[in-house]
């Protein structure tokens, strides 16, 4: 096969008049129309001078057009780099520079801010708005609706997804054709997706969950998606009767449970609800079943590995667990100090190996070596155990990470910003339980002697530099931070003391 990922996910549907996307306004996009547009984009990218292996960064609203950019990149052998729409210009600037992207596609409203970013990185810039208009469309309009698919090997890069780190510097996770294709094939099998499925898609398409799990699974079967621009309870309740399956982060399910219209009758016809990206409280699992009669299927994944484990489709879906390693994925629990495998039932770090595991971090060989062992096992940074029936339970994290509404936030990145503010001696950022987002960000500031930091000014600084979802929802001034005898900040003490801040 010339380009396994493109041919298997997209190319085989090129001439089909089957519905691929149902849009919120009632219109549809067929597979054939979607691929014709993707081919035009691919022609436009080549005309703009891009070559196979080049990176293309996209920060644009979710739409059939922005999804077609993904298809076009795969077809043209261009490495696709989708970016969270919430990122500020300074965040985008890092990604464009670090990846060496040759082309940046952004919303027209951000073009003025991002032009200097693109220019200094030597990238060209095109625009794409939520309705699909912009300079990308203008460049693509006259192009052929056919494109000669560029040949790619199994190990060639298909996408970069940036993931933050404990040092505060984001790392580009390099995902190959095989990583994406093998995982999609496994998920179709274990979750029993077919072309008859209609997947309600309300996730963003710049992360693994919405792009590689939801979209690739649907593409592989030739099924359809109800493609919502974002998660919205009204729209989901309105459209669920036309769906057969839904994927979401736990916040989707807690928000739906808060609405009395979300009941057994509304979802009687549904085949499957899947949750992931953040821990699903056992309480939500139980409440969901009591209300709807459905047991949510929880699975566990990561940007670097796609999906690793899943509760069974047939068989017990156990609350508080993420199920079994997927076929082809090896999972072991190891001692964080020695790396040795631990006996069943003991808590240690979760390591995974398989065709799903990424190739490494872009231009960061040391970081790659720290997390990806020479024998292929990836150290996830999650802590867990395997119970006596083989189910994996995640019990914590060995990495300083907050997951808010399914988005990852690394405290270090915020601490660096807070430490820089006038009058601030030092800071610590933690995640505390939040009824809607699961966890949310709280920042602690220690003033310099005799100083009184201006919290409003600090909030403005955060808004200028960091995506909204990373902003501390509360800033608290403390005379000093709790430290252990080694001088290390005891975030567990802060979490214990301030953990109830957002309790209902
Ligand atoms: C939005 N806001 C958030 C937020 N999302 N703040 C913290 N955490 C979040 N996740 C901000 C908004 O900008 C807004 O700011 C305020 O919070 C309230 O917004 P909202 O209207 O309530 O939020 P909404 O737009 O409805 O978005 C919430 C959400 C969304 C949960 C629907 O965040 C979402 O779709 N999350 C899914 C993330 C995801 O796909 N993760 C997968 C990663 S892949 P203001 O200024 O108005 O106060 C991965 C691997 C794997 O992890 O295993 O899958
Ligand atoms: P990301 O880096 O955005 O891909 O997020 C990956 C992280 O999300 C994992 O390392 C886990 O900490 C977390 N995660 C994903 N799925 C689950 C789940 N089902 N339960 C608990 N944590 C999860």
């Amino acid at each position: 096969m010339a380009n396994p990922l493109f041919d298997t996910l997209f190319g085989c549907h090129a001439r089909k008049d089957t519905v691929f996307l149902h849009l919120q306004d009632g219109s549809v996009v067929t597979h054939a129309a979607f691929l014709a547009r993707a081919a035009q984009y691919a022609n436009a990218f080549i005309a703009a001078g891009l070559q196979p292996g080049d990176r293309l960064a996209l920060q644009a609203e979710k739409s059939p057009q922005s999804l077609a950019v993904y298809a076009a990149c795969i077809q043209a052998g261009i490495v696709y780099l989708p970016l969270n729409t919430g990122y500020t210009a300074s965040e985008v600037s890092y990604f464009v520079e670090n990846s060496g992207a040759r082309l940046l596609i952004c919303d027209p409203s951000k073009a003025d801010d991002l032009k200097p970013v693109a220019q200094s990185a030597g990238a060209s810039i095109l625009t794409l708005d939520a309705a699909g208009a912009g300079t990308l469309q203008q460049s693509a309009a006259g192009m052929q609706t056919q494109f000669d698919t560029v040949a790619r090997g199994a190990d060639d890069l298909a996408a970069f997804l940036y993931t933050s780190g404990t040092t505060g510097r984001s790392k580009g996770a390099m995902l190959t054709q095989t990583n994406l294709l093998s995982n999609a094939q496994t998920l179709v099998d274990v979750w029993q997706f077919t072309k008859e499925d209609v997947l309600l898609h309300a996730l963003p398409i710049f992360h693994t969950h919405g792009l590689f799990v939801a979209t690739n699974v649907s593409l592989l079967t030739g099924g359809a998606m109800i493609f919502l621009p974002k998660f919205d309870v009204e729209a989901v309740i309105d459209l669920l009767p036309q769906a057969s399956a839904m994927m979401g982060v736990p916040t989707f399910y807690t928000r739906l449970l808060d609405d009395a219209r979300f009941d057994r009758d509304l979802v009687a016809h549904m085949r499957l609800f899947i949750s992931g990206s953040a821990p699903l409280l056992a309480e939500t699992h139980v409440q969901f079943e009591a209300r709807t009669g459905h047991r949510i299927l929880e699975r566990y994944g990561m940007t670097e590995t796609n999906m690793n484990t899943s509760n069974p489709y047939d068989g017990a879906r156990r609350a508080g667990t993420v199920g079994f390693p997927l076929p082809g994925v090896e999972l072991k629990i190891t001692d964080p100090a020695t790396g040795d495998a631990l006996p069943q039932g003991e808590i240690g770090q979760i390591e995974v190996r398989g065709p799903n595991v990424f190739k490494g971090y872009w231009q960061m060989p040391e970081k790659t070596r720290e997390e990806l062992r020479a024998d292929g096992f990836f150290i996830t940074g999650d802590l867990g155990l395997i119970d006596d029936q083989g189910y994996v339970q995640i019990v914590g994290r060995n990495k300083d990470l907050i997951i808010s509404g399914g988005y990852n936030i690394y405290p270090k990145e915020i601490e660096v910003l807070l430490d820089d503010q006038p009058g601030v001696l030092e800071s610590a950022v933690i995640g505390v339980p939040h009824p809607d987002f699961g966890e949310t960000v709280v920042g602690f500031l220690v003033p310099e002697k005799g100083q009184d930091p201006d919290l409003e000014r600090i909030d403005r600084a955060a808004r200028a530099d960091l995506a909204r979802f990373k902003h501390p929802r509360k800033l608290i001034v403390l005379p000093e931070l709790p430290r252990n005898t080694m001088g290390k900040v005891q975030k567990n003490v802060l979490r214990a003391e301030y953990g109830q801040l957002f309790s209902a």
Side-chain angles (χ1 to χ4, degrees):
M1 221 180 273
N3 181 326
L5 187 62
F6 183 80
D7 297 344
T8 316
L9 292 188
F10 301 98
C12 55
H13 308 306
R15 268 180 278 282
K16 289 187 195 155
D17 279 324
T18 41
V19 174
F20 173 38
L21 304 174
H22 293 273
L23 305 181
Q24 208 171 350
D25 63 4
S27 63
V28 298
V29 178
T30 63
H31 284 97
F34 176 79
L35 285 153
R37 174 176 288 136
Q40 287 187 308
Y41 288 174
N43 281 309
F45 299 154
I46 299 305
L50 270 76
Q51 291 177 4
D54 283 346
R55 273 77 57 205
L56 179 156
L58 173 132
Q59 188 192 40
E61 293 300 329
K62 180 179 176 184
S63 68
Q65 289 81 1
S66 55
L67 190 63
V69 173
Y70 165 51
C73 285
I74 303 299
Q75 186 165 26
I78 293 166
V79 181
Y80 182 54
L81 198 171
L83 295 170
N84 192 319
T85 44
Y87 288 147
T88 61
S90 86
E91 288 169 310
V92 172
S93 162
Y94 171 79
F95 299 121
V96 171
E97 266 167 32
N98 183 266
S99 66
R102 295 279 315 277
L103 175 63
L104 169 64
I105 299 177
C106 70
D107 193 85
S109 64
K110 293 195 173 161
D112 283 346
D113 284 346
L114 291 177
K115 260 180 202 145
V117 167
Q119 217 161 23
S120 78
S124 42
I125 192 162
L126 289 173
T127 59
L128 174 64
D129 72 13
T135 54
L136 169 62
Q137 185 49 33
Q138 288 160 18
S139 322
M143 295 286 171
Q144 296 272 339
T145 55
Q146 304 276 330
F147 179 84
D148 282 337
T149 303
V150 170
R152 293 275 92 182
D155 206 33
D156 280 330
L157 297 185
F160 276 11
L161 289 194
Y162 273 82
T163 157
S164 294
T166 42
T167 58
R169 269 193 83 206
S170 289
K171 303 164 289 184
M174 300 188 287
L175 294 154
T176 66
Q177 288 237 332
T178 293
N179 294 151
L180 303 185
L181 189 51
S182 67
N183 214 236
Q185 284 165 333
T186 303
L187 297 178
V188 164
D189 271 4
V190 296
W191 295 339
Q192 302 192 12
F193 270 85
T194 71
K195 67 177 188 341
E196 309 308 326
D197 272 304
V198 179
L199 178 73
L200 196 147
H201 193 305
L203 288 156
I205 51 169
F206 42 71
H207 278 314
T208 300
H209 198 162
L211 188 61
F212 302 140
V213 183
T215 305
N216 285 359
V217 159
S218 181
L219 278 164
L220 190 59
T221 59
M225 298 196 282
I226 298 173
F227 203 60
L228 299 179
K230 64 176 290 235
F231 179 81
D232 169 57
V233 170
E234 288 301 318
V236 171
I237 288 183
D238 190 32
L239 293 164
L240 261 178
Q242 293 162 41
S244 65
M246 174 172 166
M247 296 184 191
V249 296
T251 302
F252 287 16
Y253 296 120
T254 50
R255 286 188 181 182
L256 285 170
L257 284 169
D258 278 343
D259 195 301
R261 292 170 297 170
F262 185 70
D263 63 8
R264 200 170 278 258
D265 286 346
L266 188 79
V267 298
H269 65 289
M270 285 288 280
R271 183 176 74 76
L272 186 59
F273 288 95
I274 298 176
S275 176
S277 309
L280 182 76
L281 293 178
E283 178 192 315
T284 309
H285 196 278
V286 170
Q287 214 189 334
F288 198 91
E289 185 175 15
R291 176 88 71 85
T292 65
H294 284 276
R295 288 180 78 83
I296 297 178
L297 184 154
E298 187 173 5
R299 64 24 167 216
Y300 158 58
M302 287 188 77
T303 301
E304 289 90 335
T305 64
N306 295 285
M307 297 305 100
N308 295 313
T309 74
S310 172
N311 267 281
Y313 185 79
D314 295 314
R317 298 178 193 165
R318 301 223 337 232
T321 81
V322 290
F324 306 111
L326 289 166
V329 177
E330 294 170 80
L331 183 147
K332 63 181 181 180
I333 307 292
T334 62
D335 181 333
T338 62
D340 294 339
L342 290 171
Q344 180 269 312
E346 284 192 24
I347 294 173
Q349 58 186 8
I350 301 176
E351 298 194 23
V352 293
R353 177 165 73 179
N356 54 317
V357 174
F358 76 140
K359 206 173 171 170
Y361 297 113
W362 170 248
Q363 292 183 336
M364 291 189 181
E366 274 177 31
K367 279 272 152 218
T368 304
R369 269 194 301 277
E370 277 170 28
E371 296 178 32
L372 187 57
R373 296 186 192 280
D375 65 4
F377 271 98
F378 176 67
I379 306 168
T380 61
D382 292 307
L383 297 173
L385 59 84
I386 302 176
D387 74 12
D388 54 2
Q389 288 170 47
Y391 285 79
V392 177
Q393 285 177 28
I394 300 175
V395 299
R397 295 175 205 138
N398 208 11
K399 50 189 172 188
D400 195 12
L401 164 69
I402 301 166
I403 305 183
S404 168
Y407 288 146
N408 279 11
I409 299 160
Y410 278 84
K412 187 76 189 169
E413 196 181 354
I414 304 160
E415 288 162 359
V416 167
L417 179 131
L418 296 179
D419 289 347
D420 247 15
Q421 302 308 308
V424 174
L425 177 68
E426 59 173 355
S427 68
V429 166
I430 61 167
V432 299
H434 187 275
D436 186 30
F437 290 132
E439 282 183 292
T440 198
V441 181
V442 176
F444 297 90
L445 303 171
V446 178
E448 279 168 353
K449 211 166 182 292
Q451 297 291 312
D452 186 11
D454 178 345
L455 299 188
E456 266 175 38
R457 184 189 161 142
I458 294 178
D459 193 53
R460 278 200 302 278
R463 280 174 193 270
D465 275 9
L466 300 173
R468 172 76 183 123
F469 68 90
K470 299 178 188 171
H471 297 177
R473 289 304 195 254
K474 200 163 179 58
L475 283 174
I476 296 173
V477 178
L478 293 178
E480 59 182 12
L481 297 174
R483 292 184 184 276
N484 65 14
T485 48
M486 309 288 286
K488 193 171 175 322
V489 176
Q490 291 172 302
K491 292 196 171 180
N492 51 339
V493 172
L494 293 172
R495 277 191 287 265
E497 192 160 336
Y498 294 92
Q500 307 300 317
L501 273 177
F502 294 91
S503 297

